[in-house]
Amino acid sequence: NAGVTQTPKFRILKIGQSMTLQCTQDMNHNYMYWYRQDPGMGLKLIYYSVGAGITDKGEVPNGYNVSRSTTEDFPLRLELAAPSQTSVYFCASSARLAGSTDTQYFGPGTRLTVL
Amino acid sequence: KQEVTQIPAALSVPEGENLVLNCSFTDSAIYNLQWFRQDPGKGLTSLLLIQSSQREQTSGRLNASLDKSSGRSTLYIAASQPGDSATYLCAVGPTGNQFYFGTGTSLTVIP
């Protein structure tokens, strides 16, 4: 099992550009999450999804959009990139079902710099 | 809003020492608490998850305890090794569907 995979690993954007961060999981998890991690700060939830076709905002959703058309994929879209979006982005998934432990599994992260 | 605090922010110990990492949270209405390890430039690896009905979980040299009434969890690492050097984060939740993370404790084990 590959677990949670993310692409790209690194990216540099210019202010105002757009891009999509890809996330795929092969564990058939119903819940998926996008976090950002800034230096010296804890992870902040951007968006999450409880299943295909259902998404909702987390703590810091401004400037981002998501979609969940399949169980496996949960892309994060950045529109009009700003320097404040320079961060490391992590995708995670969990099986939030009766009898499951709800352990979160994380991808390796995407390091994004906006100049 | 749930606030999660981890103290100390950094810790340096000689190899072989037993150590305790602390995690405190403000809202005791949690479903579970999870401890993670993060190596530099890497993602998070789950170490232990404690359900709200449990008091502790053990995995190898690691033991995590949970006291919901006092809003505290501890991660005990026995006989520390240089390979244990990493940042350790705790996460509590979910509140709604959101998990809240601490800022982590950076551990260095000196050979």
Side-chain angles (χ1 to χ4, degrees):
Chain A
N1 280 351
V4 180
T5 58
Q6 292 182 238
T7 57
K9 291 185 179 179
F10 304 94
R11 184 71 186 269
I12 298 175
L13 284 182
K14 295 182 179 179
I15 293 172
Q17 287 185 322
S18 301
M19 75 163 295
T20 299
L21 282 64
Q22 301 292 343
C23 174
T24 300
Q25 55 94 7
D26 63 0
M27 297 173 282
N28 200 33
H29 286 168
N30 52 339
Y31 276 65
M32 295 188 75
Y33 313 84
W34 274 106
Y35 294 94
R36 60 177 287 172
Q37 185 179 37
D38 300 316
M41 307 287 288
L43 278 75
K44 302 290 186 184
L45 183 66
I46 305 171
Y47 271 95
Y48 67 93
S49 169
V50 304
I54 307 170
T55 63
D56 206 349
K57 297 177 181 179
E59 193 175 356
V60 290
N62 292 344
Y64 307 94
N65 279 298
V66 294
S67 60
R68 181 107 180 260
S69 57
T70 66
T71 299
E72 295 79 20
D73 300 307
F74 190 39
L76 177 71
R77 178 81 176 164
L78 278 71
E79 304 283 0
L80 300 175
S84 61
Q85 294 178 305
T86 294
S87 188
V88 181
Y89 292 84
F90 289 102
C91 180
S93 70
S94 68
R96 184 83 66 83
L97 300 168
S100 75
T101 62
D102 200 22
T103 298
Q104 291 192 66
Y105 296 87
F106 279 77
T110 294
R111 188 174 297 273
L112 176 67
T113 302
V114 182
L115 300 174
Chain B
K1 176 190 165 185
Q2 178 78 268
E3 300 285 345
V4 182
T5 304
Q6 291 187 249
I7 295 174
L11 181 64
S12 184
V13 301
E15 181 177 2
E17 191 163 298
N18 302 326
L19 60 102
V20 174
L21 306 180
N22 298 294
C23 173
S24 61
F25 47 94
T26 55
D27 185 351
S28 62
I30 64 171
Y31 182 70
N32 61 48
L33 184 146
Q34 196 165 0
W35 282 95
F36 294 89
R37 169 188 173 131
Q38 184 175 28
D39 293 288
K42 305 286 187 177
L44 281 68
T45 301
S46 179
L47 297 173
L48 290 164
L49 183 145
I50 310 176
Q51 302 286 8
S52 62
S53 58
Q54 299 174 320
R55 297 282 293 182
E56 64 178 335
Q57 282 284 341
T58 298
S59 176
R61 294 182 294 109
L62 305 179
N63 176 276
S65 67
L66 175 63
D67 184 343
K68 278 182 35 177
S69 61
S70 66
R72 292 181 182 176
S73 175
T74 60
L75 179 66
Y76 175 83
I77 302 177
S80 58
Q81 303 171 357
D84 295 330
S85 297
T87 296
Y88 292 80
L89 297 101
C90 67
V92 301
T95 302
N97 286 303
Q98 181 152 332
F99 289 87
Y100 291 89
F101 284 76
T103 53
T105 294
S106 177
L107 173 66
T108 302
V109 180
I110 304 166

